[in-house]
């Protein structure tokens, strides 16, 4: 099955700086790569997603890049704010729509 | 739109009892729903795929006789944890696939159910 690895496991950044989280996947058939933000005890919230026919996508301070050849994708958050502090998960799925999640990254934005 | 609810939001039960968790798509029909389990400080792990009108498909290592899934309508899937034990204590989250005509890979998550087995 699909194996998604995520790094780093924790990330502490100064407010205003950028945060980058990287994921790799194993199944070349994966074609959908969402990123979720989860606050303690809450549901995962989709913050951005990318499909395999696109190399980059941006939504305000958040961007995702995908390298299909290398089978890795990254989340970039610019101008971080304290409310960006949360656990972030990457995921990958194929046409069966089953999501395989990375282990998560705990992001702390220091004021 | 695309709201998914879960009930109950939390439940405490005694070891050996069964607990039913409901997952509802409130404003769309969901032919496919998914059930995940999340232990503290860990990631979401897919337990099973629930298809309306057919048997659920379980991921490797998930006991289908212990985690009973029923998807009897296009808006409701239920997960019953039978003979629950303390090691079943976890955060159970369901999701529903986006309705057709919308990015169909997208899943909408319920708010989760915190199960504590004493």
């Amino acid at each position: 099955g699909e194996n998604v690895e995520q790094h780093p496991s924790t990330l502490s950044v100064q407010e205003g700086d950028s945060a980058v989280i990287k994921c790799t996947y194993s199944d070349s058939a994966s074609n959908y790569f969402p990123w979720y933000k989860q606050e303690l005890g809450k549901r995962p919230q989709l913050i951005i997603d990318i499909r395999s026919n696109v190399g980059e996508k941006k939504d305000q301070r958040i961007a995702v890049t995908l390298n299909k050849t290398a089978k890795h994708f990254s989340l970039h958050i610019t101008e971080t704010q304290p409310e960006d502090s949360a656990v972030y998960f990457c995921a990958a799925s194929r046409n069966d729509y089953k999501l395989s999640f990375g282990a998560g990254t705990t992001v702390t934005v220091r004021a | 739109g695309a709201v998914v609810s879960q009930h109950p939001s939390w439940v405490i039960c005694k070891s050996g009892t069964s607990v039913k968790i409901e997952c509802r798509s409130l404003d769309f029909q969901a032919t496919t729903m998914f059930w995940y389990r999340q232990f503290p400080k860990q990631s979401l792990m897919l337990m099973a795929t629930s298809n309306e009108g057919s048997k659920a498909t379980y991921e490797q290592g998930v006991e289908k006789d212990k985690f009973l899934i029923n998807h009897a309508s296009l808006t409701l899937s239920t997960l019953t944890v039978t003979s629950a034990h303390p090691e079943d204590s976890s955060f159970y989250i369901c999701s529903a696939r986006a309705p057709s005509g919308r990015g169909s890979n997208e899943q909408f998550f319920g708010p989760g159910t915190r199960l504590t087995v004493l």
Side-chain angles (χ1 to χ4, degrees), chain B residues 10-20 81-86 88-89 114-118:
Chain B
W10 59 271
V11 57
I12 301 173
C13 69
K14 292 182 178 179
S15 187
T17 60
S18 295
V19 173
K20 181 186 283 188
V81 183
T82 62
S83 186
H85 291 283
D88 298 322
S89 298
R114 175 75 56 193
L115 170 64
T116 302
V117 184
L118 301 177

mmCIF file of all heavy atoms in Angstrom, chain B residues 10-20 81-86 88-89 114-118:
data_model
loop_
_atom_site.group_PDB
_atom_site.id
_atom_site.type_symbol
_atom_site.label_atom_id
_atom_site.label_comp_id
_atom_site.label_asym_id
_atom_site.label_seq_id
_atom_site.Cartn_x
_atom_site.Cartn_y
_atom_site.Cartn_z
ATOM 1 N N TRP B 10 -18.585 12.462 22.196
ATOM 2 C CA TRP B 10 -17.738 11.701 23.103
ATOM 3 C C TRP B 10 -18.593 10.650 23.803
ATOM 4 O O TRP B 10 -19.819 10.825 23.973
ATOM 5 C CB TRP B 10 -17.038 12.595 24.122
ATOM 6 C CG TRP B 10 -17.950 13.393 24.990
ATOM 7 C CD1 TRP B 10 -18.443 14.631 24.750
ATOM 8 C CD2 TRP B 10 -18.520 12.969 26.244
ATOM 9 N NE1 TRP B 10 -19.269 15.032 25.761
ATOM 10 C CE2 TRP B 10 -19.335 14.037 26.704
ATOM 11 C CE3 TRP B 10 -18.420 11.823 27.033
ATOM 12 C CZ2 TRP B 10 -20.033 13.964 27.902
ATOM 13 C CZ3 TRP B 10 -19.113 11.762 28.226
ATOM 14 C CH2 TRP B 10 -19.922 12.821 28.641
ATOM 15 N N VAL B 11 -17.960 9.566 24.188
ATOM 16 C CA VAL B 11 -18.689 8.500 24.891
ATOM 17 C C VAL B 11 -17.720 7.765 25.802
ATOM 18 O O VAL B 11 -16.565 7.520 25.438
ATOM 19 C CB VAL B 11 -19.375 7.539 23.890
ATOM 20 C CG1 VAL B 11 -18.379 6.923 22.917
ATOM 21 C CG2 VAL B 11 -20.142 6.449 24.612
ATOM 22 N N ILE B 12 -18.209 7.446 26.977
ATOM 23 C CA ILE B 12 -17.464 6.638 27.946
ATOM 24 C C ILE B 12 -18.266 5.373 28.186
ATOM 25 O O ILE B 12 -19.474 5.450 28.436
ATOM 26 C CB ILE B 12 -17.254 7.398 29.269
ATOM 27 C CG1 ILE B 12 -16.496 8.707 29.021
ATOM 28 C CG2 ILE B 12 -16.506 6.523 30.272
ATOM 29 C CD1 ILE B 12 -16.396 9.602 30.240
ATOM 30 N N CYS B 13 -17.630 4.238 28.073
ATOM 31 C CA CYS B 13 -18.367 2.995 28.267
ATOM 32 C C CYS B 13 -17.528 2.013 29.076
ATOM 33 O O CYS B 13 -16.316 2.182 29.232
ATOM 34 C CB CYS B 13 -18.751 2.374 26.917
ATOM 35 S SG CYS B 13 -17.369 1.728 25.980
ATOM 36 N N LYS B 14 -18.191 1.002 29.560
ATOM 37 C CA LYS B 14 -17.497 -0.041 30.324
ATOM 38 C C LYS B 14 -16.936 -1.084 29.377
ATOM 39 O O LYS B 14 -17.495 -1.348 28.294
ATOM 40 C CB LYS B 14 -18.466 -0.701 31.308
ATOM 41 C CG LYS B 14 -18.920 0.208 32.431
ATOM 42 C CD LYS B 14 -19.828 -0.553 33.382
ATOM 43 C CE LYS B 14 -20.260 0.330 34.548
ATOM 44 N NZ LYS B 14 -21.160 -0.390 35.481
ATOM 45 N N SER B 15 -15.874 -1.699 29.783
ATOM 46 C CA SER B 15 -15.254 -2.755 29.001
ATOM 47 C C SER B 15 -16.252 -3.882 28.751
ATOM 48 O O SER B 15 -16.995 -4.275 29.658
ATOM 49 C CB SER B 15 -14.034 -3.286 29.756
ATOM 50 O OG SER B 15 -13.320 -4.199 28.975
ATOM 51 N N GLY B 16 -16.310 -4.337 27.512
ATOM 52 C CA GLY B 16 -17.215 -5.419 27.166
ATOM 53 C C GLY B 16 -18.506 -4.973 26.530
ATOM 54 O O GLY B 16 -19.240 -5.783 25.949
ATOM 55 N N THR B 17 -18.806 -3.702 26.611
ATOM 56 C CA THR B 17 -20.043 -3.193 26.003
ATOM 57 C C THR B 17 -19.767 -2.761 24.566
ATOM 58 O O THR B 17 -18.623 -2.671 24.123
ATOM 59 C CB THR B 17 -20.616 -2.010 26.794
ATOM 60 O OG1 THR B 17 -19.646 -0.951 26.819
ATOM 61 C CG2 THR B 17 -20.922 -2.424 28.227
ATOM 62 N N SER B 18 -20.857 -2.521 23.838
ATOM 63 C CA SER B 18 -20.751 -2.076 22.451
ATOM 64 C C SER B 18 -21.158 -0.613 22.329
ATOM 65 O O SER B 18 -22.024 -0.146 23.070
ATOM 66 C CB SER B 18 -21.635 -2.939 21.547
ATOM 67 O OG SER B 18 -21.173 -4.268 21.526
ATOM 68 N N VAL B 19 -20.538 0.060 21.413
ATOM 69 C CA VAL B 19 -20.804 1.482 21.209
ATOM 70 C C VAL B 19 -21.030 1.746 19.735
ATOM 71 O O VAL B 19 -20.263 1.271 18.893
ATOM 72 C CB VAL B 19 -19.592 2.337 21.686
ATOM 73 C CG1 VAL B 19 -19.786 3.795 21.326
ATOM 74 C CG2 VAL B 19 -19.375 2.161 23.177
ATOM 75 N N LYS B 20 -22.083 2.492 19.432
ATOM 76 C CA LYS B 20 -22.378 2.840 18.043
ATOM 77 C C LYS B 20 -22.104 4.317 17.806
ATOM 78 O O LYS B 20 -22.530 5.178 18.575
ATOM 79 C CB LYS B 20 -23.843 2.545 17.708
ATOM 80 C CG LYS B 20 -24.196 2.871 16.250
ATOM 81 C CD LYS B 20 -25.674 2.718 15.950
ATOM 82 C CE LYS B 20 -26.067 1.287 15.794
ATOM 83 N NZ LYS B 20 -27.465 1.145 15.311
ATOM 84 N N VAL B 81 -18.470 -0.397 17.664
ATOM 85 C CA VAL B 81 -17.332 -1.051 18.290
ATOM 86 C C VAL B 81 -17.912 -2.095 19.243
ATOM 87 O O VAL B 81 -18.542 -1.747 20.246
ATOM 88 C CB VAL B 81 -16.458 -0.043 19.054
ATOM 89 C CG1 VAL B 81 -15.229 -0.733 19.640
ATOM 90 C CG2 VAL B 81 -16.045 1.112 18.133
ATOM 91 N N THR B 82 -17.740 -3.346 18.917
ATOM 92 C CA THR B 82 -18.338 -4.406 19.729
ATOM 93 C C THR B 82 -17.352 -4.873 20.795
ATOM 94 O O THR B 82 -16.135 -4.869 20.575
ATOM 95 C CB THR B 82 -18.733 -5.601 18.849
ATOM 96 O OG1 THR B 82 -17.549 -6.137 18.238
ATOM 97 C CG2 THR B 82 -19.701 -5.190 17.752
ATOM 98 N N SER B 83 -17.893 -5.233 21.936
ATOM 99 C CA SER B 83 -17.086 -5.718 23.055
ATOM 100 C C SER B 83 -15.842 -4.840 23.228
ATOM 101 O O SER B 83 -14.703 -5.307 23.112
ATOM 102 C CB SER B 83 -16.689 -7.179 22.824
ATOM 103 O OG SER B 83 -16.027 -7.703 23.958
ATOM 104 N N ALA B 84 -16.101 -3.580 23.470
ATOM 105 C CA ALA B 84 -15.003 -2.612 23.543
ATOM 106 C C ALA B 84 -14.079 -2.898 24.729
ATOM 107 O O ALA B 84 -14.525 -3.329 25.791
ATOM 108 C CB ALA B 84 -15.572 -1.204 23.648
ATOM 109 N N HIS B 85 -12.807 -2.634 24.520
ATOM 110 C CA HIS B 85 -11.798 -2.794 25.563
ATOM 111 C C HIS B 85 -10.988 -1.505 25.671
ATOM 112 O O HIS B 85 -11.001 -0.685 24.743
ATOM 113 C CB HIS B 85 -10.905 -3.993 25.258
ATOM 114 C CG HIS B 85 -11.618 -5.302 25.385
ATOM 115 N ND1 HIS B 85 -11.902 -5.875 26.615
ATOM 116 C CD2 HIS B 85 -12.140 -6.138 24.458
ATOM 117 C CE1 HIS B 85 -12.546 -7.014 26.431
ATOM 118 N NE2 HIS B 85 -12.712 -7.194 25.134
ATOM 119 N N PRO B 86 -10.278 -1.306 26.763
ATOM 120 C CA PRO B 86 -9.538 -0.049 26.933
ATOM 121 C C PRO B 86 -8.629 0.298 25.760
ATOM 122 O O PRO B 86 -8.476 1.480 25.429
ATOM 123 C CB PRO B 86 -8.740 -0.306 28.212
ATOM 124 C CG PRO B 86 -9.625 -1.207 29.005
ATOM 125 C CD PRO B 86 -10.240 -2.130 27.977
ATOM 126 N N ASP B 88 -9.283 0.069 22.780
ATOM 127 C CA ASP B 88 -10.088 0.650 21.706
ATOM 128 C C ASP B 88 -10.330 2.131 21.932
ATOM 129 O O ASP B 88 -10.898 2.815 21.053
ATOM 130 C CB ASP B 88 -11.429 -0.065 21.591
ATOM 131 C CG ASP B 88 -11.277 -1.540 21.236
ATOM 132 O OD1 ASP B 88 -10.388 -1.864 20.424
ATOM 133 O OD2 ASP B 88 -12.037 -2.368 21.792
ATOM 134 N N SER B 89 -9.931 2.621 23.096
ATOM 135 C CA SER B 89 -10.099 4.048 23.383
ATOM 136 C C SER B 89 -9.312 4.851 22.359
ATOM 137 O O SER B 89 -8.108 4.625 22.171
ATOM 138 C CB SER B 89 -9.601 4.361 24.796
ATOM 139 O OG SER B 89 -10.346 3.658 25.762
ATOM 140 N N ARG B 114 -14.803 10.939 20.536
ATOM 141 C CA ARG B 114 -13.806 10.492 21.511
ATOM 142 C C ARG B 114 -14.400 9.330 22.303
ATOM 143 O O ARG B 114 -15.369 9.509 23.026
ATOM 144 C CB ARG B 114 -13.452 11.642 22.455
ATOM 145 C CG ARG B 114 -12.520 11.273 23.593
ATOM 146 C CD ARG B 114 -11.101 11.108 23.151
ATOM 147 N NE ARG B 114 -10.589 12.301 22.483
ATOM 148 C CZ ARG B 114 -9.471 12.337 21.786
ATOM 149 N NH1 ARG B 114 -8.743 11.247 21.662
ATOM 150 N NH2 ARG B 114 -9.077 13.452 21.217
ATOM 151 N N LEU B 115 -13.825 8.139 22.131
ATOM 152 C CA LEU B 115 -14.286 6.949 22.856
ATOM 153 C C LEU B 115 -13.309 6.625 23.969
ATOM 154 O O LEU B 115 -12.101 6.482 23.720
ATOM 155 C CB LEU B 115 -14.407 5.757 21.909
ATOM 156 C CG LEU B 115 -14.656 4.390 22.567
ATOM 157 C CD1 LEU B 115 -15.998 4.377 23.290
ATOM 158 C CD2 LEU B 115 -14.605 3.274 21.529
ATOM 159 N N THR B 116 -13.836 6.513 25.162
ATOM 160 C CA THR B 116 -13.043 6.084 26.317
ATOM 161 C C THR B 116 -13.684 4.840 26.887
ATOM 162 O O THR B 116 -14.869 4.840 27.242
ATOM 163 C CB THR B 116 -12.993 7.176 27.399
ATOM 164 O OG1 THR B 116 -12.442 8.367 26.842
ATOM 165 C CG2 THR B 116 -12.125 6.726 28.576
ATOM 166 N N VAL B 117 -12.904 3.762 26.938
ATOM 167 C CA VAL B 117 -13.407 2.496 27.477
ATOM 168 C C VAL B 117 -12.747 2.259 28.825
ATOM 169 O O VAL B 117 -11.521 2.219 28.925
ATOM 170 C CB VAL B 117 -13.104 1.325 26.526
ATOM 171 C CG1 VAL B 117 -13.729 0.034 27.060
ATOM 172 C CG2 VAL B 117 -13.617 1.627 25.118
ATOM 173 N N LEU B 118 -13.581 2.125 29.844
ATOM 174 C CA LEU B 118 -13.048 1.970 31.205
ATOM 175 C C LEU B 118 -12.806 0.504 31.547
ATOM 176 O O LEU B 118 -13.465 -0.391 31.012
ATOM 177 C CB LEU B 118 -14.032 2.581 32.210
ATOM 178 C CG LEU B 118 -14.336 4.069 31.998
ATOM 179 C CD1 LEU B 118 -15.365 4.530 33.010
ATOM 180 C CD2 LEU B 118 -13.064 4.896 32.095
#
